[in-house]
Amino acid sequence: MSSPLPIAPGATIGIIGGGQLGRMIAVAAAQYGLKCHVYCPDPDSPAFEVAGRRTIAAYDDAAALRAFAESVDVVTYEFENIPSAAAEILAARRPLHPSASALATTQDRLTEKSFVAGLGIPVAPFRAVDDAAGLAEAIREIGLPAVLKTRRFGYDGKGQVMLREAVADPAAVMASLRDQPCILEGFVPFEAEVSVVAARNAEGGFSAYAPCANEHRHHILARTVVPAPGMAPETAAEAVAIARRIADALDYVGVLAVEMFLVRGTDGRASVVVNEIAPRVHNSGHWTIEGAETSQFAQHVRAICGWPLGSAALAGTTVEMLNLIGAEADDWTRILAEPGRHLHLYGKGEARPGRKMGHVTRVTTGVATGT
Amino acid sequence: MSSPLPIAPGATIGIIGGGQLGRMIAVAAAQYGLKCHVYCPDPDSPAFEVAGRRTIAAYDDAAALRAFAESVDVVTYEFENIPSAAAEILAARRPLHPSASALATTQDRLTEKSFVAGLGIPVAPFRAVDDAAGLAEAIREIGLPAVLKTRRFGYDGKGQVMLREAVADPAAVMASLRDQPCILEGFVPFEAEVSVVAARNAEGGFSAYAPCANEHRHHILARTVVPAPGMAPETAAEAVAIARRIADALDYVGVLAVEMFLVRGTDGRASVVVNEIAPRVHNSGHWTIEGAETSQFAQHVRAICGWPLGSAALAGTTVEMLNLIGAEADDWTRILAEPGRHLHLYGKGEARPGRKMGHVTRVTTGVATGT
């Protein structure tokens, strides 16, 4: 369904998913006088605490999805693993941003990689793997090390296995991923993991934050620094241009994150290789709340409402964001007392290992130190 | 009730009052992983949209107040006109910040002025006025021009009348204020209206934002600029010291605003005269959301939870806040498109004349221009 007129303050945004991303979208929407209705199966969803309306129902509950869509003015989502049937139910009733086709393209790693490669954008070599025989053949073609990933529903390192040495028993490897359809990706020897968080609106307006460098621990984002240290301006510009080509090709509306590897060729020239696309606000953009003129959450709201995009300029010289994983959030009193640190906690009940409980942002103004 | 331990993330803050101040407190609390329960008689309250729990009940509904208090961990309020009986019900069950006695002192203009004068802090000359004869006598003592104000329940110029010339019929003037108990205040010829927004926690920790200059239109705040132009550093320091003496004397916990007149003596020396105290977050502190290290709302949450206060440092060189009154909010699309402007809308249904619909903040970094 198209949206001829922009959404006005007083309207209701429907958010599929009730995690911290939905929570921060809802807070950003509230600043603009918008209401939110959050849809999530989990009654303890963090986003419920900051939304005026909530629906607790499964993502395949067609009746609940229909009623939800009819109660709101525009629909968005905070995670990409919603069934395509749900997206179709929503899109038939209200503008859905990002679109069902952008979602379909990005929620399957094989479709996503094929799409990006088809734009002539560098990606790691990849092959579809449907079974043990296919895995053996893909390894022969791509070589090792390589990463075997399920095509769908992976996040934070879940649903993937690193293959470093010759695989004696491909069937056992496939079984460890529950024999789901997979993709084998050649390992990219990278200097850094970077991401471009950007927004596009329906008129084709585009705005990107400066590329940021991301450090992972146990496959979970631990630290983001912006601007990405050691990334030359021309490489950063290339990364942003790639994000724009992807957004344009998807006819994308909203905020997206393009995760990339920063690599250096044998000629010493730096370039980027696209790893994956997140069709939503992204953990590597949390620093924008205090660190940019417009937060990624406010920017997403602007984009899906048909509003002009805000400035993505940095608010300081450098910004650092640290995730608080599991028990790290227990340190909240110390963080609160440190000047210049902005504490965010997501209101999750139990600090389980590996669970994202919050984050801390520090904006530095002044002369950047070297390296 | 005392609160021996600080309130931890996951706890619930009870907020009495559901307007934009409660809304912005709830958003600040959410960033820290706190839940909110908002109590307000109006089912369309803006704060309900961002709170996980809400109670729709009158401020004199003892049963509802008791149930509300028992459902939360700490209670605060966003406006000072709650009945003292309500404050007592709440304070008997949970920590109430600011305290019932701070509330009682500041919700009656006569008590408040007497309290401030008793601290040796300059205030306008004032007299209690209970009837027409009292008004005539007070005018004889104080002189004209003077302002007659109801002792309680006044805000935004409501419940007050300016007396410039000899009053022929004091009974008619009293009738225009519905014969409520009043206070006559001598008019202060001021250079500027300024306010100090500050926070104090239970340990006596104190943090003040730079004094700001406030411009009113039709008795409603229209514009706030910080630092207050033309206010010398020593006068600003004097204003902050006065706010601290008031907060200390009230054993205050939370954010308060002290409104003052900036005056110049016959010797040319600038000083301040206290006009009134708002025992809550304040419209003249809205600029702190983008314009200070810690917003007044986050600071209030820190204070009432027993947390260390955050930095009140300015985020830029100067900050300007414009209220959007009534139809001014219709201009939202233009404001959204202007770089450097931060739009806030409160989600109120109808843009009635005189109604605060939102505000806009602009933070300027760099060299301040003169005057």
Side-chain angles (χ1 to χ4, degrees), chain A residues 290 318 320 322 331-343 360-365, chain B residues 32 207 292-294 299 302 307-314:
Chain A
E290 291 90 8
T318 58
E320 179 190 38
L322 301 173
D331 224 13
W332 64 272
T333 47
R334 189 184 56 73
I335 297 164
L336 259 184
E338 281 182 36
R341 299 220 169 216
H342 298 278
L343 174 69
V360 187
T361 306
R362 182 164 52 181
V363 181
T364 309
T365 307
Chain B
Y32 290 137
S207 178
E293 252 326 274
T294 310
Q299 196 73 300
R302 285 169 173 255
W307 297 355
L309 299 177
S311 162
L314 259 71

Side-chain angles (χ1 to χ4, degrees), chain A:
Chain A
M1 215 177 132
S2 69
S3 57
L5 289 173
I7 305 293
T12 301
I13 297 178
I15 303 172
I16 300 283
Q20 65 267 22
L21 301 180
R23 182 175 168 107
M24 290 185 274
I25 293 170
V27 165
Q31 177 180 326
Y32 290 138
L34 294 155
K35 300 182 200 301
C36 287
H37 183 165
V38 172
Y39 186 113
C40 193
D42 179 356
D44 290 328
S45 296
F48 284 164
E49 295 296 326
V50 291
R53 281 191 72 178
R54 61 210 74 165
T55 293
I56 303 169
Y59 293 128
D60 58 359
D61 182 336
L65 287 164
R66 279 194 297 270
F68 169 77
E70 280 156 17
S71 78
V72 304
D73 296 291
V74 59
V75 182
T76 189
Y77 43 90
E78 59 123 48
F79 81 130
E80 59 272 47
N81 291 330
I82 57 174
S84 58
E88 280 157 27
I89 289 170
L90 299 166
R93 283 163 181 81
R94 290 293 183 275
L96 174 69
H97 299 308
S99 69
S101 71
L103 183 65
T105 302
T106 55
Q107 69 183 185
D108 180 313
R109 290 182 194 279
L110 180 64
T111 315
E112 179 180 278
K113 275 276 182 343
S114 306
F115 160 75
V116 175
L119 295 174
I121 294 168
V123 296
F126 65 94
R127 293 290 183 283
V129 170
D130 292 324
D131 50 30
L135 175 56
E137 188 184 330
I139 292 172
R140 272 193 302 276
E141 290 178 13
I142 290 178
L144 293 178
V147 189
L148 184 69
K149 300 176 178 176
T150 58
R151 286 173 54 178
R152 300 171 66 94
F153 307 124
Y155 70 98
D156 287 351
K158 292 181 174 66
Q160 58 178 267
V161 53
M162 180 79 181
L163 306 176
R164 295 186 184 278
E165 294 166 20
V167 173
D169 187 353
V173 174
M174 290 303 292
S176 75
L177 294 176
R178 290 188 280 164
D179 290 308
Q180 293 175 84
C182 285
I183 176 174
L184 186 74
E185 300 177 2
F187 178 77
V188 176
F190 56 81
E191 286 197 346
E193 293 179 272
V194 298
S195 58
V196 176
V197 178
R200 185 178 181 276
N201 65 16
E203 288 78 45
F206 180 84
S207 177
Y209 299 99
C212 41
N214 302 315
E215 296 169 17
H216 293 79
R217 266 204 310 271
H218 310 300
H219 295 287
I220 302 173
L221 182 65
R223 179 170 179 260
T224 292
V225 178
V226 62
M231 193 175 191
E234 59 273 20
T235 317
E238 177 192 336
V240 168
I242 284 173
R244 181 163 201 167
R245 278 164 65 201
I246 289 171
D248 284 342
L250 290 170
D251 199 15
Y252 197 88
V253 174
V255 163
L256 86 171
V258 182
E259 297 184 56
M260 308 177 187
F261 299 121
L262 182 65
V263 299
R264 198 165 294 274
T266 48
D267 58 355
R269 189 181 158 273
S271 63
V272 290
V273 171
V274 168
N275 180 28
E276 63 179 68
I277 304 165
R280 51 167 169 78
V281 292
H282 193 255
N283 197 163
S284 70
H286 289 1
W287 61 269
T288 59
I289 295 177
E290 291 90 8
E293 253 324 274
T294 310
S295 81
Q296 66 166 343
F297 304 101
Q299 196 74 300
H300 186 68
V301 169
R302 284 168 173 255
I304 66 172
C305 288
W307 297 354
L309 298 177
S311 162
L314 257 72
T317 314
T318 58
V319 190
E320 179 190 38
M321 190 282 308
L322 301 173
N323 266 344
L324 299 174
I325 310 290
E328 290 170 0
D330 295 345
D331 224 13
W332 64 272
T333 47
R334 189 184 56 73
I335 297 164
L336 259 184
E338 281 182 36
R341 299 220 169 216
H342 298 278
L343 174 69
H344 294 254
L345 294 171
Y346 306 146
K348 296 182 180 179
E350 198 193 339
R352 291 194 297 268
R355 196 176 197 199
K356 292 176 180 170
M357 302 303 292
H359 72 268
V360 187
T361 306
R362 182 164 52 181
V363 181
T364 309
T365 307
V367 180
T369 53
T371 65

Side-chain angles (χ1 to χ4, degrees), chain A residues 23 30-31 52 54 343 345, chain B residues 23 30-31 49 52 54 343 345:
Chain A
R23 182 175 168 107
Q31 177 180 326
R54 61 210 74 165
L343 174 69
L345 294 171
Chain B
R23 181 175 168 108
Q31 178 179 326
E49 295 296 326
R54 60 212 73 167
L343 174 69
L345 294 171

Side-chain angles (χ1 to χ4, degrees), chain B residues 13 24-26 28-29 32 34 255 296-307:
Chain B
I13 296 179
M24 290 186 273
I25 293 170
Y32 290 137
L34 294 155
V255 163
Q296 66 164 344
F297 304 101
Q299 196 73 300
H300 185 69
V301 168
R302 285 169 173 255
I304 66 173
C305 289
W307 297 355

Side-chain angles (χ1 to χ4, degrees), chain B residues 129 131-136 139 148 160-163 166-180 182:
Chain B
V129 170
D131 51 27
L135 175 57
I139 291 173
L148 184 67
Q160 57 178 269
V161 53
M162 180 78 182
L163 305 176
V167 173
D169 186 354
V173 173
M174 290 304 290
S176 76
L177 294 176
R178 289 188 282 166
D179 289 308
Q180 293 175 83
C182 285

